[in-house]
Amino acid sequence: MRHIISILIENEAGALSRVSGLFSARAFNIESLTVAPTEDASLSRMTIVSTGSDDVIEQITKQLNKLIDVVKVVDLSEAAHIERELMLVRVRAAGKDREEMKRIADIFRGRIIDVTDSTYVIELTGNGSKLDAFLEAIDRSLILETVRTGVSGIGRGDRILKV
Amino acid sequence: MQLTGAEIVIRCLHEEKVEYVFGYPGGSVLYIYDELFKQDKFKHVLVRHEQAAVHAADAYSRSSNKIGVCLVTSGPGVTNAVTGIATAHMDSVPLVIISGQVPTAYIGQDAFQECDTVGITRPCVKHNFLVKDVRDLAVTLKKAFYIAKTGRPGPVLVDIPKDITNQKCEFEYPKTIAMRSYNPMVKGHSGQIKKAVQMLLEAKRPMIYAGGGVILSDAAEKLTKFARSLGYPVTNTLMGLGGFPATDKHSLGMLGMHGTYEANMAMQHCDVLIAVGARFDDRVIGNPANFAGVSRKIIHIDIDPSSISKRVKVDVPIVGNLPDVLDELQKLLEASAGVPDPKALAAWWKQIDEWRSKKSLKYKQGKEIIMPQYVIEKLYEVTGGDAFITSDVGQHQMWAAQYYKFDKPRRWINSGGLGTMGVGLPYAMGVRFANPKATVACVTGEGSIQMNIQELSTAKQFRLPIKIINLNNRYLGMVRQWQQMFHGNRYAESYVDALPDFVKLAEAYGHVGMKIERPADVEPALRETFTKHKNDLVFMDFLTDQTANVYPMVAAGKGLSEMILAEEL
């Protein structure tokens, strides 16, 4: 099953490699991993999307907790949560495609953030499947490049991950 | 007062009451060695290879429960140390390794003797640090000692660039350390402990399975009391030998791949199993699916939550410091009105005695060729069962574990997790430094001993009267055994040709050498070694049976009850 794991970790050099090294050393799977400092600059927050049986996910959270720099680990998938991912797509937008591309971007609540005579860069936010759906909806041959951030997640309601 | 980084390192070691530093100098640690030269509060042990420095520090710790300390230089100094660090890590031994690094400004420039130490060691340490500011040095070292010893112990490495050791700052050694990201749990959950006692008292076929955690946490006495007050059978893992007296009538000996018949059968057929500081690893329970195929309730006590339900599903997990949890269990047990069902227990012991009657460790000693098992049995007799025994890795290790009956903890020092050949001699050195009056014997083979043979020189320098018991069968015996059993007798590269004359070799290093070729000479030679040569290092080269195999054996991937016994061949 797919799980979204949130980690608060000391913002030290090498913190990321401790986490990624753990996943490769123990043959755990990573679908995506995002990391950036929090409002407290001494802490980074990571969101890892992984798949595995309940036993594997239990080991993942235990092994993460064992890392000395890790302050807190939460499996967001255990309760209601929100996940978002940002995607930037550069598409060909010339002739009849220009209007069509803007229309589809609007439908997906995307924003055009860069324009040339023949291309757009579209910014799109949502969960992974929405971004996938957008890429499905446009003509594949018009996609020039895509970049995705990977998933960030946060709990719904009163669930707070903080020191 | 302002101190240099190098002075700070030494002062921190003084604050930690370090007695010995095992190390090897080099360019990046010269400032530290310069300060080390000026002090006499701890001694430095100059090994002949960095790997041996870590092994010696490791055994120093294993045999004393103090933290082992090593000091190595950058680049090859560290890479040589890696095997030692990984060995300690697999067996959860608290070490602090201080490594030199090229100056800060050179890092990443492929400088002479540079390597990414923090990167290379990351997967085989409990934690590591690169010190980037001399003002962080003292607190980092304090953290290193704290992390190494608390929770599940392990090696911690501190990498110090050369320029940092020559920069100055105010020195103050922190009295305590608080880390928001590291708070090892110590107290077991009282509800779970209650459940465990209930389950234990209701057991019909109980079994206590005790691992290296018993030794590491100094819980042997408490475990022994607990087990005796229940009257339940106890088996020890390879790492747990000595955690419960091997000569106690409740002891079933070692379990696992080369465990006794009775231990493995009882492990497989018990209805309530309590795992105490053990981790159900592949060499202990064999195939986890086969093990789980028999229904039993499992209680598991461990300080490391990730050890619990890793390979085997557990019914009652108890995370906590073992001695504290055992205290709680004992208290509840004594307060409880219930007692173990005497009829069921008697029937269980009857079954166990039947298994015991197989005498799975029996072997035949003839008149011509020395059997390796016989050497260990005689070693046990001659040393009164009271020596510190280190071993290397292979058949001799298993024979030592099977035939030397350890009644006390911290007497059996071996590489259980990583299975590192070459640990035996440096281990014996470390043990002797920690226990300056103790009798120390290193059980080894002609393959393993040559992996750190250069330490005979260190042993001479420090007058360490280690007794080397070399079970020389001219084969990499365990490899040969597997090739015989699983690879159609094709002995690929397991015969060791062109062996040195170990007697002359020992003499060349300034030690005593002996070659023992006949069974009748085994005991007299051992007696001579441990009496007349009490104060010498003696290299005893026993020419042993080339075809001897270690039995019983649970083949890799098989279940515990699928043992191969010697008599079946």
Side-chain angles (χ1 to χ4, degrees):
Chain A
M1 219 184 91
R2 181 172 176 274
H3 285 251
I4 304 181
I5 298 164
S6 268
I7 306 165
L8 281 178
I9 187 167
E10 296 287 353
N11 187 10
E12 303 263 354
L16 174 60
S17 56
R18 287 185 204 280
V19 173
S20 60
L22 168 68
F23 274 73
S24 60
R26 294 196 181 263
F28 298 145
N29 163 49
I30 301 186
E31 238 168 56
S32 81
L33 185 160
T34 66
V35 58
T38 63
E39 79 285 1
D40 170 355
S42 69
L43 282 174
S44 286
R45 177 153 171 169
M46 259 180 220
T47 308
I48 296 178
V49 178
S50 182
T51 50
S53 63
D54 289 351
D55 292 350
V56 169
I57 299 296
E58 182 184 333
Q59 264 300 308
I60 290 176
T61 53
K62 282 174 168 178
Q63 293 291 346
L64 284 168
N65 267 312
K66 207 164 125 178
L67 292 176
I68 305 290
D69 282 340
V70 167
V71 184
K72 273 192 178 166
V73 179
V74 168
D75 184 351
L76 287 179
S77 349
E78 280 176 351
H81 64 280
I82 303 159
E83 53 177 295
R84 288 292 180 270
E85 187 175 356
L86 173 77
M87 176 168 69
L88 303 176
V89 195
R90 187 187 309 278
V91 292
R92 190 163 280 130
K96 66 174 174 45
D97 295 329
R98 205 162 171 87
E99 191 46 39
E100 174 66 3
M101 200 54 81
K102 177 156 181 350
R103 214 172 57 81
I104 297 180
D106 285 344
I107 291 170
F108 280 84
R109 293 167 210 249
R111 296 195 302 147
I112 296 171
I113 55 172
D114 188 50
V115 177
T116 70
D117 289 350
S118 57
T119 66
Y120 287 151
V121 173
I122 300 169
E123 174 196 314
L124 203 64
T125 312
N127 60 23
S129 56
K130 176 183 163 184
L131 306 190
D132 292 341
F134 175 78
L135 294 177
E136 294 283 319
I138 59 176
D139 183 347
R140 268 202 111 69
S141 66
L142 298 178
I143 301 173
L144 297 172
E145 61 175 317
T146 62
V147 54
R148 296 169 71 148
T149 57
V151 173
S152 286
I154 198 163
R156 277 192 188 274
D158 294 333
R159 290 177 85 209
I160 292 170
L161 175 59
K162 211 175 158 67
V163 175
Chain B
M1 204 179 77
Q2 298 251 316
L3 298 183
T4 66
E7 288 171 315
I8 290 171
V9 170
I10 302 300
R11 287 283 293 274
C12 291
L13 298 180
H14 290 167
E15 294 282 345
E16 290 293 336
K17 312 245 179 327
V18 171
E19 298 174 302
Y20 289 100
V21 171
F22 300 86
Y24 205 103
S28 296
V29 285
L30 280 176
Y31 287 117
I32 299 176
Y33 270 89
D34 200 30
E35 292 308 320
L36 185 151
F37 183 82
K38 299 174 192 164
Q39 62 85 47
D40 57 6
K41 284 195 179 151
F42 62 80
K43 289 201 181 74
H44 179 270
V45 177
L46 176 68
V47 293
R48 302 301 184 256
H49 186 291
E50 287 90 347
Q51 184 191 341
V54 188
H55 290 327
D58 172 345
Y60 171 86
S61 174
R62 290 184 202 230
S63 63
S64 70
N65 198 20
K66 296 172 192 162
I67 297 176
V69 181
C70 327
L71 175 56
V72 296
T73 194
S74 62
V78 166
T79 56
N80 277 347
V82 166
T83 300
I85 298 170
T87 304
H89 185 241
M90 281 293 265
D91 291 344
S92 307
V93 179
L95 298 183
V96 171
I97 302 107
I98 298 170
S99 59
Q101 182 54 278
V102 300
T104 317
Y106 292 22
I107 291 178
Q109 310 286 311
D110 297 324
F112 177 66
Q113 293 196 329
E114 179 185 359
C115 70
D116 174 10
T117 299
V118 167
I120 287 173
T121 58
R122 185 180 303 117
C124 61
V125 292
K126 185 170 174 187
H127 196 55
N128 60 16
F129 298 94
L130 170 64
V131 180
K132 289 183 181 153
D133 187 323
V134 68
R135 287 167 299 183
D136 297 335
L137 185 53
V139 67
T140 304
L141 282 164
K142 177 77 187 179
K143 277 184 188 169
F145 278 90
Y146 170 65
I147 293 168
K149 197 72 195 349
T150 46
R152 179 177 181 173
V156 180
L157 180 138
V158 181
D159 199 28
I160 311 176
K162 185 169 186 179
D163 53 323
I164 302 282
T165 61
N166 195 33
Q167 287 164 6
K168 284 188 167 177
C169 75
E170 284 297 325
F171 172 70
E172 194 194 343
Y173 199 62
K175 291 258 176 313
T176 54
I177 282 287
M179 294 171 73
R180 64 179 169 184
S181 64
Y182 177 69
N183 297 292
M185 205 179 295
V186 285
K187 227 179 138 352
H189 190 281
S190 56
Q192 295 290 74
I193 294 176
K194 254 188 219 136
K195 242 198 252 174
V197 170
Q198 199 55 37
M199 204 175 262
L200 281 167
L201 288 174
E202 283 165 10
K204 306 275 183 233
R205 300 185 306 280
M207 178 76 169
I208 300 171
Y209 149 54
V214 175
I215 312 284
L216 285 165
S217 66
D218 273 343
E221 221 171 285
K222 290 185 172 161
L223 172 75
T224 305
K225 185 175 166 201
F226 179 68
R228 282 178 180 160
S229 57
L230 281 164
Y232 288 177
V234 183
T235 181
N236 288 105
T237 66
L238 178 69
M239 296 310 296
L241 296 178
F244 183 79
T247 54
D248 189 288
K249 64 179 194 301
H250 296 109
S251 170
L252 307 193
M254 183 171 75
L255 83 165
M257 183 173 269
H258 295 296
T260 65
Y261 187 72
E262 55 270 29
N264 284 343
M265 292 301 275
M267 186 79 176
Q268 190 78 351
H269 296 290
C270 63
D271 72 339
V272 173
L273 177 67
I274 178 165
V276 187
R279 59 187 178 90
F280 294 92
D281 83 277
D282 56 311
R283 288 305 198 252
V284 164
I285 59 157
N287 182 341
N290 178 297
F291 186 71
V294 184
S295 135
R296 62 175 91 63
K297 294 268 180 243
I298 301 178
I299 303 158
H300 190 175
I301 314 170
D302 206 290
I303 191 136
D304 177 2
S306 74
S307 279
I308 291 174
S309 290
K310 184 166 71 179
R311 299 192 78 243
V312 163
K313 266 277 167 216
V314 166
D315 300 283
V316 182
I318 304 173
V319 177
N321 187 32
L322 205 41
D324 301 338
V325 175
L326 284 169
D327 275 345
E328 280 289 303
L329 283 169
Q330 188 78 39
K331 225 169 49 197
L332 285 182
L333 192 65
E334 281 163 15
S336 161
V339 284
D341 176 351
K343 256 171 99 180
L345 195 56
W348 179 229
W349 273 111
K350 194 166 162 263
Q351 171 67 71
I352 289 170
D353 285 337
E354 248 167 65
W355 288 326
R356 263 181 179 158
S357 68
K358 280 239 178 206
K359 297 197 185 308
S360 60
L361 293 181
K362 69 169 177 277
Y363 65 93
K364 272 196 203 107
Q365 174 61 65
K367 285 203 161 68
E368 295 303 322
I369 305 169
I370 300 174
M371 293 305 286
Q373 299 94 323
Y374 179 71
V375 178
I376 306 295
E377 286 200 318
K378 289 293 153 191
L379 175 68
Y380 175 76
E381 282 173 34
V382 169
T383 56
D386 204 30
F388 285 79
I389 305 291
T390 74
S391 95
D392 268 302
V393 169
Q395 286 184 317
H396 64 267
Q397 175 191 23
M398 292 301 116
W399 285 318
Q402 289 175 329
Y403 294 92
Y404 201 99
K405 297 188 260 312
F406 294 94
D407 280 344
K408 293 180 193 161
R410 300 193 182 279
R411 293 300 175 101
W412 165 241
I413 315 286
N414 84 129
S415 166
L418 198 67
T420 308
M421 289 172 71
V423 295
L425 178 53
Y427 270 0
M429 291 163 24
V431 169
R432 180 73 189 188
F433 281 112
N435 305 273
K437 291 197 175 114
T439 303
V440 186
C442 161
V443 176
T444 184
E446 79 290 345
S448 285
I449 190 69
Q450 291 192 85
M451 284 210 189
N452 264 319
I453 192 94
Q454 76 287 344
E455 296 309 316
L456 285 173
S457 175
T458 313
K460 183 68 191 173
Q461 182 180 340
F462 290 90
R463 304 281 184 275
L464 304 173
I466 295 159
K467 312 301 185 242
I468 295 171
I469 312 295
N470 189 37
L471 302 180
N472 183 349
N473 58 4
R474 286 79 75 206
Y475 272 107
L476 304 178
M478 192 58 96
V479 173
R480 191 204 54 71
Q481 177 170 343
W482 281 53
Q483 288 170 335
Q484 180 192 340
M485 297 171 83
F486 313 118
H487 298 280
N489 294 303
R490 290 179 298 279
Y491 297 149
E493 303 299 319
S494 55
Y495 180 72
V496 184
D497 213 340
L499 284 173
D501 179 335
F502 286 111
V503 174
K504 279 191 187 153
L505 185 76
E507 287 168 1
Y509 277 106
H511 302 302
V512 178
M514 277 184 202
K515 190 171 187 167
I516 303 98
E517 297 178 75
R518 299 193 46 85
D521 298 334
V522 170
E523 193 176 335
L526 282 167
R527 293 217 179 273
E528 187 185 339
T529 293
F530 285 95
T531 51
K532 184 179 153 202
H533 293 296
K534 194 173 183 306
N535 297 319
D536 300 316
L537 186 151
V538 184
F539 194 116
M540 305 186 76
D541 188 21
F542 292 93
L543 292 192
T544 59
D545 186 353
Q546 293 192 283
T547 61
N549 284 342
V550 183
Y551 294 113
M553 179 166 185
V554 179
K558 295 282 187 183
L560 276 182
S561 52
E562 303 171 291
M563 270 167 287
I564 305 166
L565 299 177
E567 64 186 39
E568 288 165 4
L569 296 171

